[in-house]
Amino acid sequence: MRLRLSRRSLFAFFAVLGPGFVTASAGNDVGGIATYSAAGAQFGYATLWSLLALTLSLIVVQEMAGRMGAVTGQGLAGLIRENFGLRITFVTMLALFFVNTGIAATEFAGIAAASELFGISRFIAIPASMAIVFLLVLRLPNKIVERVFVVFSLIYLTYVVSGVLAHPNWSEVARDAVVPRIVKNPAFLVTIVGLIGTTISPYMQFFLQSQVVDKGSRARDLPAIRADIIVGSVLAIALAGFMIVANGATIFQATLHGGHPIDINANPQAVDFARALEPLAGHFAEVIFALGILNAGLFTAAVLPLSTAYIVCEAFGLEASLDRRFREAPVFYSLFAGAILLAAGLVLLVPKESLFKLIIYAQVVQGVLLPLELVLMLVIVNRPRVMGSHVNTRTLNAIAWATAIVIGSLALVYVWQSLTGA
Amino acid sequence: MPFHEGFVSELVGRSAIVERGGSRDVVGRVADFVVEHPEDTFPRIDAVIVKTRHGELAAPIADVASFDDGGIVLTKAPTVVRPPDDEALYLIEDLFDKQIVDVDGRKVVRINDIEIARTAGALRVVAADIGVGGLLRRLGIAKIMPRVVDRVPRSLIAWDNVAPLRDLSPTQIRLSVSEKRLSRLHPTELAEILGDLSAQDAARVVGSLDDERAADALEHLEPDVQRSIIDDLGTARAADIIEEMDSDDAADLLGELPEDRQNELLAEMDAQTADDLRELVAYADDTAGGLMTTDYFWIYPHRTVTATIAKIREIAPETEFIYYLYVLDQSEKLLGVLSLRTLLLAEPNATIHSIMDEEVVSVRPDVSAEDVASTIARYDLLACPVTDDRGTMLGIVTVDDAIDAIIPERLTRKLPRLTKRGQQRRAETVG
């Protein structure tokens, strides 16, 4: 009986760390680490305020997805199909497939960068990690894999410790976290769009909603779903904040005092960002940085192509299950394998110096796609015939529309800037 | 030229032309088709919705003179305001892209297109297209590469098999093959379909089955999904179904629920079942106690073989596992065991006591799942009895449950479960 009780309370603890938590932490993948590191290294704490605004947006957007899943019992892809028809669904799925493949490519790029810190060529590391990813997904039980990655994710906590040990000027940190500040540098806009893209990724809404549906959650479970989303989002963004602080307090400060500046337009290397962990890890900074990147990269490189295949198949009503043989679910397996091959192939083709650049720009593309997805979500979540009494409130609509509009215009300005070279 | 057969997607968007005395006026475009009696086997199309400059208007099918490549030719301009959604079924608005349960393929798919044809003097809905062909047609790829599309195998569900799930709002019609055919499916297959439906729809399907079928299907589902279905069924119905489940599965399910909900459900069951379940719920999942079922066959040692066989005939339909007979005394102490084989080969007048095996291998309820499994493997058992310190019989762990427990994450259930639930495919009870 006592054993049972303790198992229960442990279960309750992990139940709180539900889909919302998992999804928000999934945002801290290779792209996340790279973007937050670059933001801190290049602009110090100047981007922190955007994280505060993003927390609210992330919570609102994720809550909408969670609510749609619980109320309709359907995934986002299915809802888009039912509400917007086949063509819009097709275009959305096409975009999602390529954006997600792009993100998967950043994961492989991260793996390549990390393995090169150990002196292993990426022409060995990438094929090896592809093999590992296929093996993980096709051969290993899911719970074990998940646990290993969750344990390894604790590596991120080194950023918290390292950030504190670097003795940042806390009053400066606090001011920059609350008071918006814009640095007059074209790269600043890129960084902000990238931060948005990596913190609220388009795939996260699909991912979260599927998990809520998968758990069989209902409208009455909404309070628990909301709590999970809020806790998960706040923790994940707090961690992101510490990555910026750690990089700001080390690399950016060093630059201020005559060190070598980091410019993301000038092909920074992974080894440059590892320095953010030096206050804690000293000579081991590179090793820890590489391990963190490897862990995040392998996990997301496995999960993302697989979930993309599930989502696309859901949208088109096609067979999608690892229980099936290839012949029974050819589209599903082809999408999964295709995404991994494309992603890994892309990384092998891109010259080594551009790997980190590829990572940052993949986040920017997400920032461009997100507003489009948000508009689809907002239309559905406001339809009484779909959501019943659980349509959006005015406040939620206001925040979500503001998010879509701000991100959309930032993305437009960014695209215009790149086209005109301004 | 009368229209014979085709797909709705091919007609939508074509011009609606009014032909009067030689002049052809385009009045709008075909937007949808209306069926007023969707409950008919092959329902008749009663009107065409035309999108005009004055909004969407309905043209009765009697006004349609012909379908041709240029569009639909009408004898007079449409004037009727379109009927409200809750009275009529709209082929595109209500059916396109909606989910349909394909019972033969045992999966949930979406309606990509609707086939209509002229039969019995009227234009009727004949099939739902659930294949890739329908997708390509609607994406316009069929027009660009007709040969490629022709080679895609057709995948249609005849409309006479299609019936809406009960008590659904017309705006969210999800269709299924009639409930009678659902209940003829193997429980594993039924569970597979339920796993693909939204929790709400799954609860609706389970609600339409009889208690026993519902219990069988439920046993094959994931705990999370079981819980949400049970929550939707209402306490009395849920209790009836849980009572029909194997006691170990029923206990696992109850263990997932909050305590007050457990008590509500147990209060609805008969006292004996409720007591058994209460005991089982108390054991941890991965121990012998958590794995065991109280559904086994037992007999007193002084009975004869003939009497025992008669008893088995009487009880067997209710009891899943009858291959081992456990011999108990008045205080339910486990004295011995015999196999069905031993029983059948023995003299009819022999007593159970004389033929039973007194060397019974048994485990305590707190033994780990791995240890139960290795005991079962070492002694080549189909089931292992669970007894307490005084030798009192508590239940049995069958070999299939033991296997499931040591391979809790089936190799078929991988990262991440996302949109499709990994079904718990258990081996059927041995035999």
Side-chain angles (χ1 to χ4, degrees):
Chain A
M1 208 52 190
R2 258 177 59 203
L3 180 68
R4 180 92 191 166
L5 250 172
S6 64
R7 283 164 51 88
R8 277 280 169 73
S9 38
L10 199 68
F11 178 76
F13 176 71
F14 279 113
V16 173
L17 304 183
F21 184 83
V22 172
T23 312
S25 337
N28 289 335
D29 62 347
V30 170
I33 299 174
T35 313
Y36 300 129
S37 298
Q42 213 180 352
F43 301 110
Y45 318 129
T47 52
L48 278 179
W49 59 272
S50 68
L51 283 192
L52 195 70
L54 275 177
T55 312
L56 187 63
S57 294
L58 178 64
I59 291 171
V60 167
V61 172
Q62 295 289 79
E63 193 273 343
M64 271 163 48
R67 179 152 40 94
M68 285 159 74
V71 171
T72 66
Q74 281 214 61
L76 185 52
L79 282 184
I80 290 178
R81 172 93 188 260
E82 288 192 359
N83 284 276
F84 295 101
L86 188 60
R87 284 186 193 201
I88 290 184
T89 309
F90 182 76
V91 174
T92 311
M93 289 302 122
L94 204 66
L96 190 75
F97 177 81
F98 283 110
V99 169
N100 285 2
T101 303
I103 305 169
T106 72
E107 311 302 335
F108 283 112
I111 293 168
S115 58
E116 277 172 2
L117 285 181
F118 291 125
I120 300 166
S121 157
R122 68 197 159 116
F123 291 97
I124 295 166
I126 300 280
S129 53
M130 267 171 66
I132 293 173
V133 165
F134 279 118
L135 210 69
L136 283 179
V137 171
L138 301 175
R139 284 273 164 262
L140 272 187
N142 132 28
K143 277 277 145 57
I144 296 175
V145 175
E146 226 167 61
R147 273 173 210 160
V148 170
F149 283 112
V150 166
V151 169
F152 269 100
S153 303
L154 296 178
I155 293 176
Y156 296 140
L157 291 180
T158 52
Y159 275 102
V160 179
V161 183
S162 205
V164 173
L165 289 182
H167 300 296
N169 183 338
W170 287 110
S171 63
E172 238 174 75
V173 171
R175 194 198 59 217
D176 277 343
V178 186
V179 185
R181 179 151 75 89
I182 291 168
V183 178
K184 287 204 179 64
N185 178 339
F188 191 73
L189 180 67
V190 180
T191 307
I192 295 280
V193 177
L195 280 179
I196 297 169
T198 194
T199 311
I200 317 180
S201 296
Y203 75 84
M204 288 166 76
Q205 283 66 255
F206 286 94
F207 193 92
L208 176 91
Q209 192 167 334
S210 298
Q211 293 207 325
V212 167
V213 171
D214 215 41
K215 282 181 74 114
S217 299
R218 299 306 178 76
R220 63 175 164 271
D221 301 323
L222 280 174
I225 294 175
R226 287 184 181 125
D228 163 47
I229 288 171
I230 292 172
V231 171
S233 304
V234 169
L235 281 181
I237 293 198
L239 209 54
F242 269 102
M243 287 191 206
I244 294 182
V245 170
N247 277 279
T250 54
I251 303 172
F252 181 71
Q253 288 300 323
T255 320
L256 284 187
H257 300 101
H260 177 65
I262 281 193
D263 177 2
I264 56 164
N265 288 318
N267 307 320
Q269 299 299 298
V271 62
D272 297 330
F273 294 111
R275 277 158 53 205
L277 292 173
E278 272 172 8
L280 168 70
H283 296 308
F284 294 108
E286 284 184 19
V287 178
I288 292 191
F289 182 75
L291 283 179
I293 291 259
L294 269 181
N295 177 62
L298 279 176
F299 185 58
T300 317
V303 169
L304 203 58
L306 188 60
S307 59
T308 309
Y310 273 119
I311 289 163
V312 173
C313 287
E314 184 201 355
F316 297 123
L318 300 169
E319 198 74 64
S321 167
L322 288 167
D323 292 346
R324 308 271 179 221
R325 279 176 227 185
F326 179 82
R327 273 221 321 252
E328 296 170 309
V331 178
F332 171 71
Y333 281 106
S334 305
L335 285 170
F336 170 60
I340 289 181
L341 291 175
L342 259 172
L346 188 64
V347 176
L348 288 179
L349 290 178
V350 169
K352 176 184 163 187
E353 303 76 42
S354 308
L355 284 183
F356 249 79
K357 219 171 165 180
L358 172 76
I359 295 174
I360 308 280
Y361 281 96
Q363 311 312 315
V364 178
V365 177
Q366 295 190 66
V368 177
L369 192 81
L370 184 67
L372 304 176
E373 183 206 33
L374 274 179
V375 170
L376 296 183
M377 285 177 71
L378 274 163
V379 171
I380 298 173
V381 84
N382 279 304
R383 281 196 177 156
R385 63 187 265 180
V386 179
M387 297 297 289
S389 60
H390 295 282
V391 290
N392 257 12
T393 62
R394 266 190 209 171
T395 320
L396 288 180
N397 271 335
I399 298 173
W401 275 114
T403 306
I405 290 168
V406 169
I407 298 174
S409 14
L410 275 178
L412 281 181
V413 171
Y414 165 71
V415 170
W416 185 75
Q417 266 195 1
S418 350
L419 287 181
T420 58
Chain B
M1 185 184 69
F3 177 83
H4 284 294
E5 58 170 352
F7 289 97
V8 166
S9 69
E10 295 172 324
L11 297 171
V12 168
R14 287 200 192 174
S15 311
I17 300 155
V18 177
E19 214 168 31
R20 257 176 311 209
S23 79
R24 285 164 71 96
D25 297 329
V26 175
V27 292
R29 292 190 174 279
V30 177
D32 210 337
F33 293 87
V34 186
V35 164
E36 273 165 19
H37 300 284
E39 65 281 3
D40 294 349
T41 313
F42 289 109
R44 209 169 66 124
I45 289 171
D46 297 292
V48 179
I49 300 292
V50 178
K51 198 171 192 172
T52 71
R53 276 181 302 154
H54 314 290
E56 294 197 337
L57 296 172
I61 199 77
D63 292 351
V64 177
S66 69
F67 294 84
D68 63 27
D69 288 344
I72 287 187
V73 180
L74 301 169
T75 50
K76 56 180 177 230
T79 49
V80 193
V81 178
R82 50 172 280 171
D85 286 353
D86 49 347
E87 284 172 20
L89 182 75
Y90 286 77
L91 294 190
I92 291 179
E93 214 175 283
D94 296 336
L95 295 179
F96 266 34
D97 302 319
K98 301 299 190 291
Q99 287 181 310
I100 186 166
V101 176
D102 174 7
V103 170
D104 293 325
R106 285 158 214 108
K107 60 191 174 185
V108 177
V109 292
R110 285 186 189 274
I111 300 179
N112 295 330
D113 207 343
I114 301 278
E115 190 178 27
I116 55 179
R118 186 172 295 280
T119 54
L123 203 55
R124 294 170 191 278
V125 176
V126 294
D129 184 339
I130 56 164
V132 177
L135 289 176
L136 298 176
R137 213 177 299 119
R138 283 187 54 206
L139 290 172
I141 297 168
K143 272 184 204 145
I144 308 165
M145 297 183 287
R147 274 200 217 139
V148 176
V149 177
D150 281 346
R151 280 166 62 184
V152 174
R154 285 157 64 97
S155 177
L156 300 167
I157 293 182
W159 202 260
D160 58 341
N161 279 334
V162 174
L165 281 177
R166 270 187 291 183
D167 46 84
L168 263 178
S169 69
T171 51
Q172 282 190 311
I173 283 185
R174 307 235 170 70
L175 299 144
S176 145
V177 174
S178 65
E179 286 150 21
K180 261 187 210 133
R181 290 191 54 201
L182 270 185
S183 66
R184 283 206 296 266
L185 285 177
H186 188 278
T188 318
E189 295 170 347
L190 190 51
E192 228 167 273
I193 291 176
L194 292 176
D196 284 350
L197 285 171
S198 75
Q200 284 92 326
D201 291 335
R204 226 169 267 130
V205 173
V206 170
S208 75
L209 301 167
D210 64 46
D211 292 349
E212 209 177 315
R213 304 283 315 178
D216 284 347
L218 221 53
E219 282 172 16
H220 292 80
L221 288 170
E222 297 263 314
D224 286 339
V225 184
Q226 286 180 339
R227 180 182 54 95
S228 83
I229 290 177
I230 285 297
D231 278 356
D232 260 25
L233 286 170
T235 307
R237 185 76 215 280
D240 287 343
I241 294 176
I242 296 174
E243 260 185 297
E244 291 291 330
M245 290 170 71
D246 283 349
S247 59
D248 50 340
D249 290 314
D252 287 349
L253 169 50
L254 286 172
E256 294 285 322
L257 302 173
E259 207 143 324
D260 46 341
R261 182 85 179 122
Q262 271 179 34
N263 292 331
E264 261 173 51
L265 287 163
L266 287 167
E268 289 279 329
M269 298 179 197
D270 81 55
Q272 180 62 46
T273 316
D275 280 351
D276 283 355
L277 286 179
R278 247 182 223 110
E279 273 174 41
L280 288 179
V281 173
Y283 296 111
D285 292 347
D286 52 358
T287 63
L291 294 176
M292 74 184 179
T293 172
T294 52
D295 190 25
Y296 57 89
F297 190 91
W298 64 273
I299 194 88
Y300 288 130
H302 60 270
R303 299 272 189 235
T304 63
V305 166
T306 313
T308 305
I309 292 177
K311 190 82 181 162
I312 292 177
R313 286 217 177 88
E314 184 189 321
I315 292 174
E318 305 285 308
T319 308
E320 192 122 359
F321 188 85
I322 58 163
Y323 312 101
Y324 292 154
L325 318 181
Y326 297 94
V327 187
L328 306 185
D329 69 8
Q330 304 281 350
S331 63
E332 300 197 356
K333 196 165 170 267
L334 179 61
L335 303 174
V337 65
L338 67 153
S339 69
L340 197 57
R341 175 191 160 87
T342 312
L343 185 75
L344 290 174
L345 296 179
E347 290 293 324
N349 291 328
T351 61
I352 293 298
H353 186 262
S354 68
I355 58 169
M356 73 182 189
D357 184 354
E358 288 176 58
E359 303 285 311
V360 195
V361 178
S362 72
V363 295
R364 298 281 172 273
D366 53 355
V367 161
S368 76
E370 284 80 9
D371 289 348
V372 183
S374 67
T375 303
I376 286 177
R378 185 176 327 129
Y379 295 98
D380 273 338
L381 300 174
L382 294 177
C384 180
V386 182
T387 55
D388 67 12
D389 298 341
R390 288 174 317 219
T392 310
M393 181 89 174
L394 300 172
I396 59 168
V397 178
T398 56
V399 62
D400 55 330
D401 286 338
I403 290 172
D404 276 353
I406 56 168
I407 321 174
E409 298 303 323
R410 297 250 141 177
L411 292 183
T412 50
R413 287 170 57 196
K414 304 285 160 37
L415 281 167
R417 276 168 38 232
L418 292 174
T419 53
K420 303 282 175 195
R421 281 164 215 111
Q423 270 82 47
Q424 223 173 347
R425 288 222 188 108
R426 308 177 339 152
E428 285 304 296
T429 306
V430 182

